Amino acid sequence: NYTEIEVAKSIEHCIAFSVFNANKEQIAFARVITDRFTFAYLSDVFVVKSERGKGISKHLMEYILSHPHLQQLRRFMLATLDAHGLYAQFGFKQIAHPERLMEINNSKFYDPIDE
């Protein structure tokens, strides 16, 4: 559970994408963390449950990949739990050399504070 300030900060230096329905309600979102030239990381992609299965994620990916600031990238990465098939349709593949990747994972940093 992120605060409004944390969400705003996470979006501030990214390229954010939103999809709204006819009632102007947000039904999908994604953000791309990028230097706008060589590297990008797709993050925080979601489509609300009631709107899934309508092709929204495909349209969102088409729009993201057509963005002018994302045309000269050497590497475009993402992590997904269960949408491998979706991303494969857009050219994403398994990491060629996973042994080269490393991370610092501070997921506990975002755990809610006990009050």
Side-chain angles (χ1 to χ4, degrees):
N1 295 336
Y2 300 112
T3 67
E4 196 173 309
I5 292 170
E6 290 168 330
V7 171
K9 284 180 111 179
S10 73
I11 295 170
E12 185 176 355
H13 298 290
C14 297
I15 303 172
F17 300 87
S18 292
V19 178
F20 296 87
N21 65 15
N23 297 325
K24 298 184 180 179
E25 300 165 319
Q26 186 176 25
I27 59 170
F29 176 83
R31 70 185 179 111
V32 177
I33 304 158
T34 183
D35 62 10
R36 298 178 182 216
F37 187 68
T38 63
F39 179 80
Y41 182 82
L42 180 62
S43 181
D44 302 328
V45 179
F46 78 84
V47 176
V48 297
K49 257 187 190 174
S50 61
E51 300 295 328
R52 292 178 188 165
K54 299 178 181 179
I56 293 168
S57 61
K58 288 181 186 177
H59 290 299
L60 181 58
M61 286 303 302
E62 289 168 355
Y63 191 73
I64 290 168
L65 293 173
S66 71
H67 191 282
H69 291 237
L70 304 175
Q71 298 310 303
Q72 300 182 57
L73 300 174
R74 179 172 176 236
R75 180 166 287 140
F76 201 151
M77 298 181 74
L78 62 84
T80 183
L81 179 63
D82 57 7
H84 297 79
L86 168 68
Y87 298 118
Q89 294 175 50
F90 294 95
F92 287 90
K93 300 174 183 164
Q94 295 290 326
I95 300 294
H97 299 284
E99 68 279 3
R100 295 180 184 175
L101 296 176
M102 297 177 72
E103 71 175 344
I104 295 173
N105 189 334
N106 289 324
S107 60
K108 291 191 179 221
F109 181 77
Y110 297 103
D111 286 349
I113 299 171
D114 293 330
E115 296 183 31

